[in-house]
Amino acid sequence: MDMSAVTAARWVERWECQQQRYAVDREERFTVIADVVEHVTHTTSGRRLLLDLGSGPGTLAARLADRLPGSEVLAVDADPLLLELGRAHFGGRLRYVRTLIGAPGWLDALGLDRPVDAAVSTTALHYLDRATLGGVYRDLAERLRPGGVFVNGDHIAPDSAPIRALAQDLGRRHSERSLAFTHEDWSSWWSGAAADPELAPLLPSPGAAGHPPCAADDLPVSAHAALLRRAGFRHVGTVWQYGSSRVLAAVR
């Protein structure tokens, strides 16, 4: 039986609230990412092709679809429950694809028939270790059109340890002022989903590809920039930052 729209709306709203605990000024970060994509693709002829990597239910992808009508927007994730929540809530505005980002041949599942204009990600790729992340950057550089952009909004720390500590404290203070820590956390959301009879059957079975194991190297911004340039991106830089919450743009 298909998931009801009412159930999906309730759980997507809970997801949105829960995620505010982990992304400083999350809504502004989304707006900046959409601004970058609009700026880079405003002269694109034909239908834009946009990827949201580690999309969850597709909350950022849906914002891109609203900002850039007529675009083909792919919400890409490995979790079947989050993808189904998105399908039931956002409907045909997005195309949902299940694949484990960074796994061998992960891009093949997307069925891309033309170069990608922009790829985005937010609070997702920090799961990956350095080698896997470098491979993902290379894969994206190969599929993006010349002049296309990759935009990553994530926890990306400054290089200096004292500045990193300062940035983390500033982010914590901002989250406290905005009451972000009053929302439920990641574990609470997933425990609630497992207890909902409409959602529980969609949870990944033990051992199945769902959430990638968190094997991140906690790379500073200079390491991300080096990996991106090595992958083939010509221009890399920070376009927005609050604390350690950063939007990094890389142009092919």
Side-chain angles (χ1 to χ4, degrees), residues 8 21 41 45 47 52 62 98 104 122 129 144-145 165 172 187 209 217 221 229 232 237 239:
R21 292 182 63 101
T41 67
S45 59
R47 192 181 187 196
D52 179 10
R98 185 181 180 190
T122 183
D129 62 75
L144 281 164
R145 64 165 172 80
R172 178 188 59 78
S187 297
D217 292 327
V221 62
R229 291 192 178 96
V239 295

Side-chain angles (χ1 to χ4, degrees), residues 148-171:
V149 68
F150 167 61
V151 198
N152 188 20
D154 211 335
H155 319 300
I156 304 176
D159 289 282
S160 162
I163 299 300
R164 185 181 308 127
L166 176 58
Q168 290 171 346
D169 185 61
L170 290 174

